[in-house]
Amino acid sequence: MRILVVGSGGREHALCWKLASSPLCDALYCAPGNAGIADVATCVPVAATDLDGIVALAKKERIDFVVVGPEDPLCLGLVDRLEAAGISAFGPSKEAARLEGSKGFTKDLTQRAGIPTAAYKRFTDADDARAYIRAQGAPIVVKADGLAAGKGVVVAATVDEALAAIDDIMGRKRFGASGAEVVVEEFLDGDEASLFALCDGKTALLLGVAQDHKRAYDNDKGPNTGGMGAYGPTPILDDAQAQKAVKTFVDPVLKMMAAEGRPFTGILFVGLMVGRNGPQLVEYNVRFGDPECEVLMMRLKSDLLPALIAARDGELDQVDLRWHPEPAMTVIMAAKGYPDAPEKGSEIRNLDAAGKEEGVVVFHAGTKADGNRILANGGRVLAVTAIGKDLREARDRAYRAVDLIDWPEGFCRRDIAARAFR
Ligand code: AMP
Ligand code: GLY
């Protein structure tokens, strides 16, 4: 089979790395990819959101199966466009991707389906939102309805902070049309966990749970990011609890989405807050998490490709995946200045030595090649990933590899997975 992966981050490198090892895969392309992905796939400079360009590329290279990594092309309808052109594609349709693309849509659906989540209200009028915030008091959470590159959520410790978020999102239109509507919701306390289920429209298959680290600096300090590191499995939601969570947070959604004429196919990423009253839904995403995907791919023993094809074909009930029992973890190395203003263009040295450490794979998240040199080309730049007989070994291996990488212009958190050792 000829495969095309869409995207350019650490998630897509991990997917390409796994798919390249499939005996079913004859040719692997990635658009646009990065310098690390180029080791396992042919990278083609077409942007993930250039739907015409991706469809044309898939036709030109006679692609049999497309795997879409990020949410933006999914929400724009890339899978619909590919399928309409006769090309099989893995991921939700535009209608099904609304589970990530509209927070208001999703909150309403959780109510209809009886899914435990924070109490909320939707607003298109800023004054109404302000009045509700004043009446509720803080802490309180304000969310832009649409996609905002992970920046559309303000967890406000005070009423003033929440009101400022309304000014920012609805007044100054910081996220454009994505902020024409907001969701204001109850603050949830607890530990966050990311649960992943492979879905074929009716059946869900648990892929596992990982814990991300959203803040930029150690001890959960600093600004929110796309994720600075992850590990899995996690004691925050063990296997039995995860199986139960699939019944509570995934099965009812699949049923409802199918009944409403937009069956969900693809990866359902369930963001959970695990507190005193058990897990509650924070959000759904319609794709693998990044960097959670790096951890999952490292632990997956089975061939990924037939499972994705079965999901696309509605035959997941015939699939059984096997996993390495060993835990894995990944440490993000980001360019200094990330997330606000990462410096681009600095050289990264000694990647080969780091990649030779036992149990280690260095996934690239934002790099480009310049002759033989590898340059930083994004905020999150590397995802240094390791597997070990226990989490301690995985952690030691990952940080040993991090320490081998010669890149003074980068930084990372030193406390990834620390919660699991508490
Ligand atoms: P989201 O984009 O909805 O995942 O929100 C981004 C982050 O904001 C989450 O990963 C949480 O850390 C935090 N968050 C979102 N909603 C809530 C909530 N209701 N209570 C507490 N934290 C939240
Ligand atoms: N790591 C969180 C996300 O992918 O949204």
Side-chain angles (χ1 to χ4, degrees):
M1 291 184 76
R2 301 172 64 79
I3 312 293
L4 169 65
V5 172
V6 176
S8 63
R11 164 182 53 210
E12 287 75 25
H13 191 181
L15 291 171
C16 285
W17 171 79
K18 190 66 192 163
L19 291 169
S21 72
S22 170
L24 293 172
C25 178
D26 297 316
L28 182 61
Y29 290 82
C30 187
N34 64 39
I37 293 175
D39 286 340
V40 290
T42 303
C43 293
V44 187
V46 177
T49 49
D50 175 3
L51 305 199
D52 291 335
I54 298 286
V55 173
L57 171 66
K59 281 187 179 158
K60 174 165 173 270
E61 298 299 343
R62 294 170 288 113
I63 297 297
D64 299 300
F65 193 67
V66 180
V67 179
V68 185
E71 64 275 21
D72 301 271
L74 292 169
C75 290
L76 289 170
L78 178 57
V79 167
D80 314 61
R81 288 282 309 275
L82 288 162
E83 292 281 351
I87 301 156
S88 294
F90 174 78
S93 66
K94 181 177 180 174
E95 270 297 307
R98 287 179 75 191
L99 280 177
E100 177 161 2
S102 168
K103 293 188 189 292
F105 165 84
T106 298
K107 292 299 287 197
D108 288 354
L109 185 127
T110 58
Q111 282 226 316
R112 295 198 298 282
I115 290 165
T117 186
Y120 74 102
K121 239 177 136 88
R122 302 173 70 170
F123 295 98
T124 49
D125 182 274
D127 285 330
D128 292 348
R130 289 188 190 99
Y132 181 73
I133 288 167
R134 287 197 187 93
Q136 293 293 310
I140 194 157
V141 182
V142 178
K143 302 184 171 185
D145 181 75
L147 292 185
K151 299 190 178 85
V153 174
V154 176
V155 180
T158 63
V159 166
D160 281 346
E161 225 180 294
L163 296 175
I166 296 294
D167 293 343
D168 200 30
I169 297 170
M170 302 188 92
R172 283 186 288 281
K173 302 196 168 36
R174 175 154 174 229
F175 307 111
S178 285
E181 178 173 341
V182 297
V183 169
V184 181
E185 69 177 38
E186 175 197 1
F187 171 78
L188 299 173
D189 202 11
D191 278 313
E192 276 184 82
S194 311
L195 179 146
F196 297 89
L198 180 59
C199 302
D200 73 354
K202 34 187 206 297
T203 303
L205 183 65
L206 176 64
L207 297 182
V209 179
Q211 187 170 45
D212 189 11
H213 298 62
K214 299 247 185 203
R215 300 295 196 101
Y217 313 131
D218 283 18
N219 302 311
D220 295 328
K221 296 282 189 304
N224 252 314
T225 72
M228 293 297 292
Y231 70 95
T234 167
I236 288 158
L237 203 73
D238 66 21
D239 274 354
Q241 291 168 313
Q243 292 291 356
K244 199 172 151 203
V246 170
K247 295 198 164 56
T248 310
F249 296 96
V250 182
D251 292 344
V253 173
L254 293 190
K255 207 173 229 174
M256 190 141 286
M257 293 290 279
E260 294 177 357
R262 42 178 157 245
F264 183 87
T265 303
I267 299 292
L268 192 63
F269 167 163
V270 185
L272 293 170
M273 189 69 81
V274 187
R276 247 173 302 159
N277 302 324
Q280 285 194 282
L281 180 77
V282 175
E283 61 166 354
Y284 291 115
N285 296 313
V286 298
R287 51 171 173 89
F288 279 111
D290 194 351
E292 292 96 326
C293 184
E294 289 87 313
V295 167
L296 292 179
M297 290 306 108
M298 202 74 170
R299 297 191 57 235
L300 179 59
K301 214 190 258 183
S302 304
D303 190 348
L304 176 66
L305 185 51
L308 299 186
I309 295 169
R312 145 70 176 70
D313 291 346
E315 295 174 354
L316 256 193
D317 54 348
Q318 297 171 39
V319 172
D320 187 22
L321 289 173
R322 286 175 310 134
W323 299 85
H324 295 291
E326 293 85 5
M329 85 166 225
T330 187
V331 179
I332 293 292
M333 295 183 79
K336 281 182 184 162
Y338 176 74
D340 297 325
E343 299 164 26
K344 287 190 184 177
S346 56
E347 184 177 357
I348 307 161
R349 296 187 185 83
N350 220 26
L351 283 166
D352 286 346
K356 283 191 189 114
E357 282 292 301
E358 195 175 350
V360 169
V361 182
V362 180
F363 294 119
H364 291 216
T367 60
K368 73 171 185 199
D370 174 32
N372 286 331
R373 303 191 312 150
I374 300 290
L375 306 181
N377 190 39
R380 295 189 292 175
V381 173
L382 301 170
V384 182
T385 311
I387 190 162
K389 66 177 186 297
D390 53 25
L391 197 54
R392 201 170 294 276
E393 186 175 73
R395 180 183 62 177
D396 292 348
R397 286 173 167 179
Y399 280 117
R400 209 175 306 132
V402 164
D403 290 334
L404 282 170
I405 294 170
D406 178 11
W407 183 36
E409 294 85 0
F411 76 99
C412 69
R413 279 180 64 159
R414 285 277 160 188
D415 64 345
I416 302 305
R419 271 195 205 80
F421 295 104
R422 263 200 316 235

